[in-house]
Amino acid sequence: MANTPQAKKRARQNEARFQVNKARRSRIRTFLRKAEEAIASGEKDAATAALRALQPELMRGVSKGVFHKNTAARKMSRLSSRVKAIA
């Protein structure tokens, strides 16, 4: 356990930051799940709309430090290629 006042404060800050990041990560995963479901349904319009809604959320996660830039780019690339493949 933290003993110094500085360490106690850092522990409080870390917990608060963890809660914020957890909420951000959960929100992004929800958008990812909606995109996956739209792709699975086979409706190109719905999948495209879900992908467009996902992109800014994913990039916001990158700018806030929740995801790495390359991870977000990889997810977008894979999802967009799957959307394009829908006949």
Side-chain angles (χ1 to χ4, degrees):
M1 183 57 207
N3 290 321
T4 65
Q6 179 183 8
K8 288 177 183 175
K9 181 178 179 179
R10 290 306 303 177
R12 286 194 310 271
Q13 289 175 329
N14 286 338
E15 182 59 30
R17 179 60 44 210
F18 171 75
Q19 294 300 329
V20 169
N21 286 339
K22 184 177 171 185
R24 284 192 181 121
R25 206 168 22 251
S26 175
R27 180 177 166 85
I28 293 168
R29 284 184 185 143
T30 301
F31 277 87
L32 275 166
R33 183 179 45 77
K34 287 180 183 176
E36 290 281 354
E37 288 172 357
I39 290 168
S41 73
E43 296 177 26
K44 190 159 186 147
D45 293 338
T48 304
L51 195 65
R52 284 204 178 123
L54 168 65
Q55 188 174 10
E57 289 298 324
L58 208 49
M59 291 303 124
R60 191 170 298 119
V62 169
S63 67
K64 300 294 184 182
V66 178
F67 285 110
H68 192 274
K69 180 174 60 171
N70 291 357
T71 302
R74 184 180 65 242
K75 286 182 185 296
M76 279 305 299
S77 176
R78 288 179 181 174
L79 286 170
S80 62
S81 65
R82 286 172 59 195
V83 168
K84 286 179 188 173
I86 297 173

